[in-house]
Amino acid sequence: MEKLSIKEKKLEAINLNVFYGQKQVLKDVNIAIKANTVTAFIGPSGCGKSTFLRTFNRMNDYVEGFRKEGDIIVDGKDIYQKMIRVEELRKKIGMVFQKPNPFPKSIFENVAYGLKIQGIKNKKLIEETVEKSLKQSALWDEVKDDLKKSALSLSGGQQQRLCIARALALEPSILLMDEPASALDPISTSKIEDLIWELKQKYTIVIVTHNMQQAGRISDNTAFFYMGDLVEYDETKKIFTNPEKERTQNYITGRFG
Amino acid sequence: MTSAEKNRIKDKLFGYFGLACTLFGIIMLLVFLSDIVMKGWEKVDFDFLTNYSSSRPKKAGIYPALAGTLWILGLTALIAIPIGIAAGIYFEEYAKKSKMANFLEINLANLAGVPSIIYGLLGLQIFVRSLNFGASILAGACTLALLILPIIIVSTREALKAVPDSIRQASYGMGANTWQTIWHQVLPASAGGIITGIILAISRAIGETAPLIVIGAATYITYIPEGPMDKFTVLPMQVYDWIGMPDPEFAKNAAGGIIILLLITFLLNGIAVYLRNRWQKKVKW
């Protein structure tokens, strides 16, 4: 894999160890992720890939007993420094969760929420942003006539695209996705995948997935985790055709996991 | 008889037993209600609601007691609701697991179990004497507010707990802080449960008599309270006073007072049930 210059690195983990209480869930992980790429984290359940994803926007701060050593660098800044405001950080880093989790409010309010909490009151700006975000997440045509309807009345796939729109409304530069399609049917899944492919133009995307074919289809680079170790990190093509480590080979060929 | 048949009979028997237990409570309530209504219904009219207390049972009404009850209710709600909700939010959303939080939690549970007359003694010492409120509406409302505070806190916590964590995560993930998450997402989603708890707590406060007797609330009031520092009486105390009268005619007045008191309680409970159903329909996860 090509070496990245400091400027090219969008996200970076340096000697990262993560603990939940006594249990170590990530062991000395080093990774550098290039801007405007899709990176897939794969590995069996409990390998630490979701935990790793959540260190980039500090969502682990809410987990009891969470402790980390080492550094997480986003845009050249150590995000666990005291100076860093997590609220600011999370505006820059959107997150999409495993289960669609729209707010129990209207479609419009869901997308407008991020602007609202920033204190933006300009109605026109909010309306434009909502429309733009819903178009970006390929949901606009399906919901443009009933933006006032409850978000909970949408189908699962639509809800997930709404959650993506909600994250995009803040104009982040990074999108973290934690198994965004695992709760969806195949048609919704392929819509989400197409979407990820398009969003790559503007965003750096990191996606955790259980689905190996999905990782193969949508990602540029793939990182394979096993029991808290980053076993192998390389171009997706290489990982899926000619991995260096035997464990990676065994996992992607379905011998375990 | 096979054991499967035996088990079936046991199953059926328990079903009937459970039904009987349920009916027991309801039938008792119905007997009590019909007794009260038969005795007191003739008393309930406009005059009864607007007359002052009197030594002649035919002329005696509940106006001051009704006004006192409404005053007490309003002021108690005003004091207990903000404090109760804030404490519930603190416990559920802010307090980290610590020895301190544990200690507070155990004491909260204890507080909910303290007999109401003890609250009366507390109110007498703190509000009536130390703070010099006298036997006023304010002293009564403060005392009752203390009494229902644990109920409001507990029901607020339950309502907040029912909001799935994924909503909070989504909100934090978009850069909201804890307060914004609570204000914009958690509270609106749990409002139904919180309001229901508040109404039930308040309908409990309506019926409380013991603590108000202890703080020295009057039973015979000849004017309508105009401010929180005025003396007052409430419906249950008026009823209690009438029941003690030697003239049996007063028993009818007492029954009439009970009808009004029950109507208010049922009305509040009805509103609580209505709100709960409405919110349940609106918010589905």
Side-chain angles (χ1 to χ4, degrees):
Chain A
M1 217 183 149
E2 51 168 341
K3 279 263 178 241
L4 299 178
S5 70
I6 294 177
K7 271 199 168 174
E8 285 175 310
K9 288 176 189 169
K10 188 77 186 167
L11 300 166
E12 193 177 10
I14 303 171
N15 300 336
L16 182 76
N17 288 291
V18 170
F19 305 85
Y20 288 142
Q22 297 293 319
K23 204 180 152 232
Q24 184 164 11
V25 286
L26 285 172
K27 295 168 196 162
D28 202 30
V29 173
N30 285 282
I31 202 169
I33 292 171
K34 196 181 163 186
N36 294 45
T37 57
V38 177
T39 305
F41 290 175
I42 61 169
S45 299
C47 67
K49 56 192 190 301
S50 276
T51 298
F52 187 42
L53 186 78
R54 282 158 187 256
T55 53
F56 287 112
N57 66 345
R58 293 188 50 176
M59 285 301 277
N60 288 326
D61 290 12
Y62 303 104
V63 179
E64 233 180 276
F66 168 79
R67 189 161 58 83
K68 66 112 208 162
E69 292 162 4
D71 298 325
I72 294 282
I73 315 285
V74 175
D75 286 332
K77 274 192 211 136
D78 177 357
I79 58 162
Y80 277 87
Q81 269 181 339
K82 278 222 171 93
M83 307 268 297
I84 296 286
R85 306 278 305 226
V86 275
E87 291 85 8
E88 296 293 327
L89 174 75
R90 291 183 191 141
K91 271 176 219 157
K92 201 162 70 179
I93 307 182
M95 182 153 196
V96 179
F97 297 82
Q98 183 172 3
K99 229 181 111 205
N101 57 353
F103 300 124
K105 298 183 174 225
S106 73
I107 294 168
F108 185 89
E109 278 178 278
N110 262 278
V111 187
Y113 181 63
L115 301 177
K116 199 165 132 191
I117 56 174
Q118 285 186 59
I120 293 171
K121 296 222 166 74
N122 184 340
K123 262 195 174 173
K124 204 162 159 255
L125 176 70
I126 294 177
E127 277 170 21
E128 280 169 6
T129 309
V130 168
E131 181 174 340
K132 199 176 100 194
S133 310
L134 285 170
K135 277 180 177 160
Q136 265 188 305
S137 72
L139 190 60
W140 177 252
D141 289 333
E142 291 159 62
V143 300
K144 64 181 176 207
D145 295 323
D146 25 41
L147 293 175
K148 289 231 164 73
K149 247 170 69 179
S150 166
L152 300 175
S153 66
L154 298 174
S155 74
Q158 289 175 320
Q159 286 189 7
Q160 196 61 301
R161 276 180 285 149
L162 179 68
C163 291
I164 294 173
R166 186 172 69 179
L168 296 181
L170 284 165
E171 303 191 330
S173 58
I174 300 159
L175 214 49
L176 305 177
M177 304 179 123
D178 190 358
E179 300 190 43
S182 69
L184 305 180
D185 61 89
I187 294 170
S188 303
T189 301
S190 90
K191 276 189 184 162
I192 300 269
E193 286 181 9
D194 292 346
L195 187 57
I196 291 171
W197 196 246
E198 278 184 25
L199 293 173
K200 199 179 95 171
Q201 319 287 335
K202 286 179 73 180
Y203 305 89
T204 306
I205 297 173
V206 184
I207 178 169
V208 166
T209 179
H210 254 116
N211 183 331
M212 228 86 63
Q213 285 83 7
Q214 185 172 62
R217 279 194 299 264
I218 60 173
S219 68
D220 302 294
N221 300 310
T222 296
F224 169 59
F225 290 85
Y226 184 69
M227 309 236 325
D229 286 309
L230 173 57
V231 178
E232 194 166 352
Y233 173 49
D234 214 325
E235 284 168 27
T236 301
K237 251 184 287 168
K238 177 119 194 300
I239 293 266
F240 280 89
T241 52
N242 186 23
E244 257 162 41
K245 304 268 167 63
E246 202 190 330
R247 202 169 257 156
T248 314
Q249 175 78 29
N250 287 345
Y251 183 70
I252 58 161
T253 51
R255 239 166 274 171
F256 78 99
Chain B
M1 208 184 316
T2 64
S3 73
E5 277 172 338
K6 262 191 201 160
N7 283 337
R8 255 187 54 197
I9 289 172
K10 267 191 205 161
D11 189 31
K12 274 224 163 125
L13 279 179
F14 186 79
Y16 289 128
F17 179 68
L19 180 67
C21 291
T22 314
L23 286 177
F24 176 73
I26 291 173
I27 287 170
M28 283 301 168
L29 183 68
L30 284 177
V31 168
F32 166 73
L33 278 183
S34 53
D35 183 50
I36 292 293
V37 170
M38 279 193 296
K39 274 199 189 115
W41 189 246
E42 54 173 295
K43 292 295 302 183
V44 179
D45 55 18
F46 191 68
D47 282 346
F48 185 64
L49 294 179
T50 53
N51 278 357
Y52 289 82
S53 202
S54 162
S55 54
R56 278 168 297 169
K58 287 241 152 50
K59 278 188 73 183
I62 57 165
Y63 191 25
L66 190 59
T69 291
L70 295 179
W71 260 103
I72 284 278
L73 274 192
L75 208 53
T76 304
L78 217 59
I79 298 166
I81 291 172
I83 299 178
I85 294 181
I89 289 176
Y90 168 76
F91 266 119
E92 212 48 48
E93 308 286 332
Y94 281 95
K96 300 247 156 63
K97 268 184 199 158
S98 65
K99 281 197 175 142
M100 181 69 182
N102 250 339
F103 175 77
L104 287 174
E105 192 151 6
I106 292 167
N107 275 289
L108 186 66
N110 279 338
L111 216 55
V114 172
S116 61
I117 196 153
I118 310 285
Y119 280 100
L121 291 169
L122 186 74
L124 179 67
Q125 190 54 43
I126 295 178
F127 302 122
V128 179
R129 290 186 185 149
S130 299
L131 293 175
N132 231 344
F133 290 169
S136 63
I137 292 175
L138 184 60
C142 287
T143 307
L144 289 183
L146 273 185
L147 179 86
I148 63 171
L149 209 48
I151 309 174
I152 295 183
I153 295 174
V154 169
S155 61
T156 300
R157 291 187 62 186
E158 291 306 319
L160 295 176
K161 243 183 232 162
V163 177
D165 226 28
S166 60
I167 295 297
R168 293 181 184 87
Q169 297 240 343
S171 179
Y172 289 137
M174 301 192 63
N177 59 27
T178 308
W179 174 246
Q180 286 172 323
T181 300
I182 293 170
W183 183 250
H184 292 296
Q185 302 300 343
V186 181
L187 277 183
S190 58
I194 294 175
I195 295 171
T196 306
I198 288 169
I199 293 173
L200 292 179
I202 287 174
S203 76
R204 157 109 196 259
I206 292 183
E208 278 301 337
T209 326
L212 297 180
I213 293 177
V214 176
I215 66 161
T219 46
Y220 187 77
I221 290 275
T222 53
Y223 57 90
I224 298 300
E226 279 169 351
M229 297 315 285
D230 286 348
K231 288 190 178 309
F232 70 100
T233 189
V234 289
L235 276 172
M237 290 193 61
Q238 181 68 69
V239 169
Y240 179 70
D241 183 47
W242 276 334
I243 286 170
M245 294 285 186
D247 186 342
E249 191 65 25
F250 273 114
K252 285 186 188 167
N253 287 21
I258 291 172
I259 291 174
I260 301 299
L261 188 59
L262 284 176
L263 280 179
I264 298 175
T265 313
F266 290 164
L267 182 71
L268 285 175
N269 289 354
I271 294 172
V273 171
Y274 170 74
L275 285 175
R276 189 166 51 209
N277 291 342
R278 224 190 79 150
W279 244 276
Q280 266 169 2
K281 256 181 235 151
K282 210 177 120 191
V283 182
K284 266 195 203 124
W285 312 105

